[in-house]
């Protein structure tokens, strides 16, 4: 007799993360490798976060505060929200899982874009819900197409703004129109992992007041991107008290560790580090745009910390050729790759190697 796994797993594949630097160094015998593959902060994190971790190292034998009380308080003050509207998770990744466990019944329809963050489809399928895919138009969310895809069976809609991997955004006006058009029994998950990088004025810079108007919205943010704490795994989510209460029923009791909690509190306070990260990203973006234009490469306009660019050659091949030269990026669909914006030094190395690989 053979082991029977849940039927929902048949069509799932494990998540493929960006390749670790050490791995690539070993495979190609390289001394210097840069990773521009996972949208990490090239400046690292706030030194205040590191100090906070050092000060917490005496407490490793104790379970963390399962309620993340201090971090919730810090967030509640900063965001001007009630503590009961906030919940913490082991990265936003875990929150996508918890949302799926909270809402999806077998056969529910769940609307999402393509291409977008791959965890939306995997958590949906994991629960036996049915993904309904609405392709991007000009590499941007087709919100009207998503509205047209709503049926009686629709349970939830995943939105990512700016979108990963394309870096494109939709405006506040479009978002509000969308929320006004979605029936109130359908959950809208609004993933803002890159919101701190956005430069455009018509972006919904402060989405939190939407919580008062729309009881069906769940807003996701993370400490993994501009805060530079990806390794610690901590994300924060805002929604109605009723939704938070129900997500708490499926959450593990100690899902955010102590070091992550203290570092996140310290990171929140270091506005100077955030400003610097924003500036470095913006300069890097302008440099990369210029170089892509000189090389005649098409790219999607990015409001995030990564650029989706067409290298006019198979992305998988370019990925391998760049890797051999010590630069890790992400191959996407067809001739498209995604490159994370690094420090200016890293960006220049990337462009040099890309020119080599593309014979420019
Ligand atoms: C990186 C990213 C996240 C954050 O993931 P964590 O689990 O918090 O590290 C969430 N959503 C999108 C779209 C992302 O690109």
């Amino acid at each position: 007799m053979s082991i029977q796994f849940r039927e929902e797993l048949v069509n799932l594949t494990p998540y493929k993360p960006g390749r670790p630097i050490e791995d690539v160094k070993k495979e190609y015998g390289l001394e210097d490798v840069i990773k521009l593959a996972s949208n990490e902060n090239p400046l690292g994190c706030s030194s205040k976060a590191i100090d906070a971790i050092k000060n917490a190292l005496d407490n490793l034998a104790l379970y963390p505060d399962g309620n993340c009380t201090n971090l919730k308080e810090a967030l509640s003050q900063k965001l001007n929200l009630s503590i009961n509207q906030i919940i913490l998770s082991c990265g936003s990744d875990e929150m996508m899982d918890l949302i799926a466990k909270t809402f999806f019944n077998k056969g529910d329809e769940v609307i999402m874009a393509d291409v977008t963050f791959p965890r939306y489809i995997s958590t949906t399928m994991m629960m036996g819900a049915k993904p309904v895919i609405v392709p991007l138009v000009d590499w941007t969310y087709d919100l009207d197409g998503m509205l047209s895809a709503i049926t009686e069976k629709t349970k939830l809609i995943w939105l990512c703004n700016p979108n990963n991997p394309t870096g494109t955004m939709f405006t506040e006006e479009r978002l509000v129109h969308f929320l006004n058009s979605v029936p109130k029994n359908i959950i809208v998950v609004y993933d803002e992992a890159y919101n701190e990088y956005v430069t455009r004025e018509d972006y919904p810079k402060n989405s939190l007041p939407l919580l008062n108007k729309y009881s069906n919205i769940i807003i996701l943010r993370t400490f993994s991107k501009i805060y530079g704490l990806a390794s610690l795994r901590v994300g924060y989510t805002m929604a109605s008290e009723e939704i938070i209460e129900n997500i708490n029923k499926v959450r593990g009791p100690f899902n955010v560790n102590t070091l992550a909690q203290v570092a996140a509190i310290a990171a929140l306070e270091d506005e100077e580090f955030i400003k610097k990260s924003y500036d470095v990203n913006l300069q890097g973006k302008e440099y990369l745009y210029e170089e892509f234009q000189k090389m005649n490469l098409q790219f999607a306009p990015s409001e995030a910390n990564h650029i989706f660019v067409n290298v006019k050659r198979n992305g998988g091949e370019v990925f391998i050729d760049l890797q051999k030269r010590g630069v890790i990026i992400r191959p996407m669909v067809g001739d498209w790759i995604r490159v994370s914006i690094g420090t200016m030094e890293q960006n220049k190395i990337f462009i040099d190697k890309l020119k080599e690989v593309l014979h420019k």
Side-chain angles (χ1 to χ4, degrees), residues 289-318:
Y289 277 6
E290 230 172 82
E291 294 298 320
F292 291 151
Q293 274 156 354
K294 282 191 220 158
M295 282 190 263
N296 245 324
L297 301 180
Q298 192 194 351
F299 53 87
S302 174
E303 290 296 323
N305 65 349
H306 51 272
I307 306 179
F308 193 66
V309 52
N310 187 318
V311 288
K312 298 198 237 176
R313 229 190 103 191
N314 179 272
E317 285 172 26
V318 171

Side-chain angles (χ1 to χ4, degrees), residues 38-39 90-94 96 117 120 160 164 191 193-194 221-225 230 233-235:
S38 302
N39 304 339
C90 181
S92 295
D93 266 352
E94 187 203 25
M96 293 164 202
F117 197 54
Y120 304 157
C160 188
N164 177 8
D191 184 349
Y194 302 99
R221 293 186 185 169
T222 180
F223 285 95
S224 295
K225 302 291 156 59
R233 315 303 305 123
V234 48

